[in-house]
Amino acid sequence: MIRIEPRSSVPPVLKYGVPVLSALIALALAAIPLLLAGADLVEAYGKMFTGVFGSMFSFTEMLTRATPLIFTGLAAALAFRAKLWNIGAEGQLYLGALAAAAIGTGLIDAPGFVLVPLILIAGAAAGAAGMAAPAYLKTRFGADEVVTTLLLNFIILIFLQMMLEGPLKDPMGMGWPQSAPILDQGMLPQLLPRMRVHWGLILALVAAVIAQIMLGRSVWGFRLRAVGENAAAALHAGIGVRRTIMSAAIVSGALAGLAGVSEVAGLKGYLTADLSPGFGYTGIVVAMLAGLSPLGVVAAALFIASVFVGADSMSRAIGVSSYLADLVVSMSLISVLIGGFIARYKIGFGTPAKGGA
Amino acid sequence: MANELVLSLRSLSKRFGDVVANDAVSIDLYRGEVLSLLGENGAGKTTLMNMLFGHYMPDSGSVEVADSDGTLRPLQLGHPQAALEAGIGMVHQHFTLAENLTAIDNILLGSESLWSLRRNRGAARRKVQGIIERSGLAAPLDELVGNLTVGERQRVEILKALYRDARILVLDEPTAVLTPQEADALFDNIGAMTRDGLSVIFISHKLREVLAFSDRIAVLRHGRKVGEIATAEADERIIARMMVGADTEATARAAMQAGDPVLELENIAVKGKSARDSLHRVSLTVRAHEIVGIAGVSGNGQTALARLVSGLTRPDGGEMRVDGRRVTKFDPQTLLKAGIGRIPEDRHHDGVVGAMSVAENMVIERLDADDVQKHGFLRKAAIRAHAQELAAAYDVRGPGVDAEARLLSGGNMQKLILARVFECAPRLILANQPTRGLDLGAANEVGRRLLEARARGAGVLLISEDLDEVLALADRIVVIHDGRLIAADTTDREAIGLMMAGEHA
């Protein structure tokens, strides 16, 4: 018989150890499909490792991949801290990307120091608007934001396709559904010569630091945490619960929007409907793995990006499907959820545990 | 019959982390007796009963229960079903009845096979009727439970236990929700049942009842059994000393001239979801230097009144004035700023954010204050230092001001809330069930603080279901019944009890 009892407090070893251990377990579990595919494990894990840390180029590729994940991870983490379940970062990412493409491809011809901030602000605003709407429906009418944000993703994606076939379509694009290129001066500069990693990474890291400070040290963060942990008590204590939820929604949406901006104006240079391989959804895994801590998001995003990039290069090298990366990411989410449970509860088997914890 | 042992808890111990909830507690129960289990909150009463019922597994110790022949047999621990089969029934403070079923269905629910095609209702009903005749627990069997009064629901709960052939009945604070008259009826019923051979463990805070209706009293303190005494040899002073480990001083109160009104309600109407959650054109004045006690059975509009004064509900009619100024905007922030301090009814749910620190909870109501924030950022060091001062001044004990507030015991959590409220020097204090679930020591502390606020010139609106508390603290008593307020011009328990039941004496 299994007995489950809540712990009075979570020891720090578990708090930080569980996510790390979960990630490692997920990585280790990847051995099963690898074996089934007949791969040599040493070679496979070796290729995965060198695929990330083997060269300057592969390492910067990992950082490039981590950039949107930091943004979407922060978007999820901040919203989740307020118990606002934003599942719509994917849609908000595309809204941000749309806004970036709309004003960055020639609508405004301004020098870079004007155009780049404009693109960033427009993208953040579009993402914010994309999350403000479901949050308003939640605070005003009690609409479940899980449903509304999730379904909005599909609406936004179809809207995007419509725009790419219509007003935003590149006249020089040989009929492909893609936008015209972002003006050169509107692009986020590259960080290193001949590498794809760009200033979006710096923005993402700055955003993470700011989020960490705001959440822990500002009155706004205090309100957000209070609302997330106990909305009834927060309301009783005179905290504007609806306003706090709205503000969390706006910040969350803006961060997701910036993920889109950074992909369009930092990496691709033009907008297509397959800009994001699910960065919005993966951001949820990143946030959970990070225990909803903004700085933890950076670490988790780096891990997940490493898995993606490493698995990609491994699959090319030894001919195993790169879906393996998705598998590891999914399993790390499951491991961290189970691990979080173990951290919060004491689990004993059979006869009761003697003595204290 | 008097010395026939029916239940024996032997040296039960239970720890939660570093907290010792029960430390080698042994209790014997004899056939046909009422044993009162007394103790401050957190003394370990609930944990002990949860172990008896198999909800918790003890770390050590054993339980023996007499079977129908009177032979003691060990009870398999950790299995609620085993406790039920051994003839132990429990009536929880919060009822576990299905409101959309009739009383008789609730009684039979779960005791029948899922697969029998035809229910043998005739025989079952006769058995229930028989129990009712012997015990006097009258309840309308064919009425939906949703339509029953609280007292009737409680009788249905007891019938449910007796129908399962309970020989031992545990009642967890059974009178908390009853009028004095209903409580007396309950004790009459218990008397009849014990003469029939039933043994009762009676958990209570109310010394008066314990002294009046039990045969023996066992007192728990800090998880240990600190005393056991035959009721005939006990008085309030002896038991109180056992419970808190020292003599408690009766709260001294000076006579005081009431001042200007600080809270005025005029013909206030609140339309709630149900009639019991509404107020019907009520008027009330609380003055400075005055404690007004609202006495009543729960569910008669106390919640609506508290929500109104907290700013969580806006009235559908009438006028509310604080310090002579009309309230036009009903939200918690506005009323806090207007000088209303609130001690909420459910401190876990509405009072503190359990996952945030003690220090953070101490400033949560005044995040705009200059000593709490500067340019929108928290002054963490100042908040922490201030919290330590407050914790010392209000004797908030626990793992420190940086620890999560949920780790505090009920009494310390309430002291945290008191500290938070009093520090703002409110004009009016809304104290809603301020001592519910508190031990005697903490409850006296709450009373002392409320009297202190009164002396300072605040008005206090005390809402309590504990009539003794209202009688002890209030300058003026107003009875709430069915959403209406009736001034009680008497301090006679009997008369007020009748008013609480809706009968105008």
Side-chain angles (χ1 to χ4, degrees):
Chain A
M1 186 155 185
I2 301 173
R3 316 210 138 259
I4 297 166
E5 288 174 7
R7 281 178 204 276
S8 54
S9 62
V10 178
V13 180
L14 285 177
K15 192 176 159 199
Y16 298 107
V18 160
V20 173
L21 201 65
S22 308
L24 293 178
I25 288 173
L27 213 50
L29 285 174
I32 297 170
L34 279 174
L35 280 176
L36 290 175
D40 175 354
L41 280 187
V42 175
E43 190 196 0
Y45 279 111
K47 291 284 182 202
M48 230 196 264
F49 186 81
T50 54
V52 179
F53 301 100
S55 70
M56 193 61 187
F57 178 75
S58 55
F59 186 68
T60 58
E61 274 303 286
M62 184 276 284
L63 294 178
T64 310
R65 187 67 83 95
T67 304
L69 289 178
I70 296 175
F71 278 122
T72 56
L74 289 174
L78 283 179
F80 288 7
R81 283 297 278 269
K83 291 268 181 346
L84 175 72
W85 306 111
N86 178 8
I87 315 295
E90 184 78 1
Q92 291 139 27
L93 177 152
Y94 275 117
L95 284 177
L98 251 175
I103 68 165
T105 52
L107 181 71
I108 298 167
D109 194 358
F113 68 87
V114 177
L115 190 55
V116 170
L118 265 184
I119 289 178
L120 289 170
I121 292 168
M131 188 53 210
Y136 178 75
L137 293 177
K138 174 191 170 75
T139 53
R140 188 73 183 78
F141 303 109
D144 188 337
E145 74 278 15
V146 174
V147 177
T148 51
T149 55
L150 182 65
L151 293 184
L152 256 181
N153 287 343
F154 302 103
I155 296 170
I156 290 167
L157 197 59
I158 292 169
F159 176 70
L160 174 84
Q161 285 163 351
M162 187 179 95
M163 298 309 280
L164 289 179
E165 292 287 356
L168 282 182
K169 188 166 185 174
D170 183 6
M172 315 290 279
M174 324 248 282
W176 289 101
Q178 64 180 44
S179 76
I182 302 274
L183 299 178
D184 280 346
Q185 74 268 30
M187 291 291 286
L188 299 173
Q190 284 168 342
L191 280 177
L192 295 166
R194 295 186 312 280
M195 307 288 171
R196 298 207 299 169
V197 63
H198 53 87
W199 268 86
L201 176 68
I202 304 297
L203 288 177
L205 294 176
V206 169
V209 171
I210 292 177
Q212 182 80 26
I213 293 171
M214 290 301 285
L215 198 56
R217 304 197 153 262
S218 76
V219 173
W220 176 76
F222 185 114
R223 293 201 173 103
L224 187 142
R225 285 182 286 130
V227 167
E229 296 292 352
N230 185 347
L235 184 68
H236 225 273
I239 291 174
V241 172
R242 286 184 186 182
R243 264 174 70 181
T244 305
I245 290 179
M246 283 307 294
S247 70
I250 285 168
V251 173
S252 170
L255 286 163
L258 285 175
V261 174
S262 120
E263 285 301 280
V264 168
L267 187 65
K268 298 286 170 58
Y270 55 90
L271 175 60
T272 59
D274 59 359
L275 179 75
S276 158
F279 287 133
Y281 301 110
T282 310
I284 296 170
V285 184
V286 170
M288 295 307 285
L289 205 55
L292 307 187
S293 132
L295 288 184
V297 160
V298 175
L302 291 174
F303 168 74
I304 300 274
S306 303
V307 170
F308 274 123
V309 172
D312 261 352
S313 76
M314 175 198 69
S315 73
R316 276 195 305 274
I318 61 174
V320 176
S321 166
S322 68
Y323 281 120
L324 196 73
D326 291 315
L327 199 65
V328 174
V329 170
S330 318
M331 284 190 299
S332 54
L333 177 61
I334 293 171
S335 313
V336 80
L337 290 180
I338 296 173
F341 180 78
I342 293 172
R344 282 196 309 279
Y345 294 89
K346 214 163 45 176
I347 296 171
F349 295 94
T351 48
K354 303 269 178 197
Chain B
M1 168 164 139
N3 281 325
E4 191 182 326
L5 200 59
V6 289
L7 174 71
S8 176
L9 307 182
R10 303 218 172 128
S11 195
L12 286 175
S13 294
K14 179 74 183 173
R15 297 169 66 102
F16 296 104
D18 299 330
V19 181
V20 181
N22 279 144
D23 186 6
V25 176
S26 298
I27 284 177
D28 287 334
L29 181 68
Y30 296 93
R31 186 168 146 88
E33 79 165 345
V34 178
L35 171 72
S36 283
L37 197 53
L38 263 176
E40 308 191 317
N41 219 54
K45 303 184 300 284
T46 311
T47 306
L48 190 66
M49 289 304 116
N50 276 328
M51 287 194 285
L52 174 60
F53 278 92
H55 297 313
Y56 290 151
M57 191 76 187
D59 295 336
S60 63
S62 65
V63 175
E64 292 193 347
V65 187
D67 62 14
S68 47
D69 301 327
T71 320
L72 280 182
R73 292 179 192 284
L75 179 74
Q76 192 186 4
L77 293 171
H79 295 267
Q81 196 61 37
L84 283 174
E85 280 164 13
I88 305 172
M90 178 148 186
V91 176
H92 293 272
Q93 210 174 346
H94 302 284
F95 301 148
T96 54
L97 298 171
E99 299 202 350
N100 54 349
L101 296 180
T102 61
I104 183 88
D105 281 339
N106 266 290
I107 293 169
L108 304 188
L109 192 70
S111 59
E112 301 179 304
S113 160
L114 213 54
W115 307 109
S116 64
L117 288 175
R118 233 166 38 82
R119 304 203 286 176
N120 195 357
R121 296 196 60 130
R125 204 185 168 89
R126 278 194 295 281
K127 180 171 173 187
V128 175
Q129 294 284 11
I131 296 169
I132 290 178
E133 273 164 36
R134 283 201 304 281
S135 63
L137 291 162
L141 289 180
D142 296 309
E143 189 67 53
L144 292 183
V145 164
N147 299 333
L148 300 186
T149 67
V150 180
E152 286 169 335
R153 287 182 203 206
Q154 189 173 56
R155 292 200 280 277
V156 172
E157 279 278 9
I158 298 174
L159 285 173
K160 200 167 126 185
L162 296 180
Y163 179 77
R164 285 161 178 70
D165 300 319
R167 293 183 296 276
I168 298 162
L169 191 62
V170 180
L171 301 170
D172 188 6
E173 304 216 19
T175 59
V177 292
L178 302 181
T179 63
Q181 281 81 4
E182 282 177 313
D184 287 344
L186 172 69
F187 290 122
D188 284 346
N189 297 334
I190 291 176
M193 292 184 286
T194 49
R195 280 193 291 281
D196 225 22
L198 187 80
S199 308
V200 175
I201 296 179
F202 174 67
I203 301 174
S204 180
H205 287 307
K206 300 185 188 171
L207 298 184
R208 199 180 62 85
E209 295 172 357
V210 166
L211 286 168
F213 300 102
S214 61
D215 303 311
R216 214 151 47 87
I217 299 170
V219 180
L220 293 186
R221 189 170 78 229
H222 301 314
R224 292 193 186 87
K225 190 173 86 173
V226 290
E228 206 178 291
I229 186 168
T231 308
E233 296 159 17
D235 63 29
E236 292 205 14
R237 216 179 148 71
I238 294 176
I239 305 177
R241 194 183 304 155
M242 277 181 166
M243 280 170 74
V244 297
D247 277 318
T248 54
E249 284 176 35
T251 19
R253 46 174 312 155
M256 230 167 252
Q257 186 65 43
D260 294 332
V262 289
L263 174 76
E264 294 162 276
L265 305 182
E266 209 177 291
N267 289 322
I268 288 270
V270 175
K271 293 191 188 80
K273 285 195 188 92
S274 70
R276 309 195 113 198
D277 195 23
S278 309
L279 293 177
H280 306 289
R281 292 174 59 82
V282 299
S283 298
L284 178 74
T285 304
V286 182
R287 297 172 182 277
H289 295 296
E290 182 183 49
I291 299 180
V292 174
I294 305 285
V297 180
S298 79
N300 272 298
Q302 289 98 328
T303 308
L305 181 62
R307 286 178 60 88
L308 177 84
V309 178
S310 306
L312 294 163
T313 303
R314 59 175 51 259
D316 296 298
E319 194 175 306
M320 173 166 147
R321 288 187 293 276
V322 176
D323 249 349
R325 274 185 297 277
R326 183 176 179 176
V327 179
T328 48
K329 198 165 162 240
F330 282 83
D331 70 64
Q333 183 74 48
T334 309
L335 289 177
L336 265 171
K337 292 233 163 93
I340 297 185
R342 291 88 41 88
I343 302 173
E345 175 178 7
D346 185 339
R347 51 187 159 269
H348 295 273
H349 189 258
D350 298 321
V352 301
V353 179
M356 291 172 81
S357 74
V358 171
E360 285 179 314
N361 273 288
M362 279 180 173
V363 297
I364 192 167
E365 286 189 338
R366 42 187 214 97
L367 289 174
D368 295 335
D370 285 336
D371 61 330
V372 175
Q373 57 97 27
K374 196 176 178 186
H375 308 308
F377 285 90
L378 300 166
R379 301 178 58 178
K380 289 217 157 186
I383 290 172
R384 195 168 180 282
H386 185 63
Q388 274 167 337
E389 275 171 38
L390 275 183
Y394 287 82
D395 193 29
V396 181
R397 292 182 210 172
V401 295
D402 297 322
E404 292 183 4
R406 70 186 172 90
L407 298 174
L408 296 182
S409 70
N412 283 304
M413 208 180 264
Q414 195 72 320
K415 287 185 203 160
L416 186 167
I417 293 171
L418 283 176
R420 185 170 82 194
V421 168
F422 280 85
E423 191 206 14
C424 299
R427 297 291 297 135
L428 177 85
I429 293 165
L430 168 69
N432 192 0
Q433 319 293 353
T435 61
R436 176 185 282 173
L438 295 191
D439 57 68
L440 218 55
N444 283 344
E445 172 74 10
V446 171
R448 206 172 60 75
R449 293 284 180 184
L450 290 179
L451 288 170
E452 201 177 287
R454 163 182 175 262
R456 198 182 32 104
V460 177
L461 182 60
L462 169 70
I463 303 179
S464 178
E465 283 152 25
D466 184 350
L467 188 49
D468 293 325
E469 174 176 284
V470 174
L471 286 168
L473 289 175
D475 297 297
R476 214 144 53 75
I477 296 176
V478 176
V479 171
I480 190 163
H481 178 260
D482 202 20
R484 292 182 175 81
L485 295 177
I486 313 133
D489 304 320
T490 168
T491 51
D492 177 44
R493 292 184 56 87
E494 198 70 16
I496 295 175
L498 286 172
M499 291 172 78
M500 283 161 66
E503 291 168 34
H504 296 275

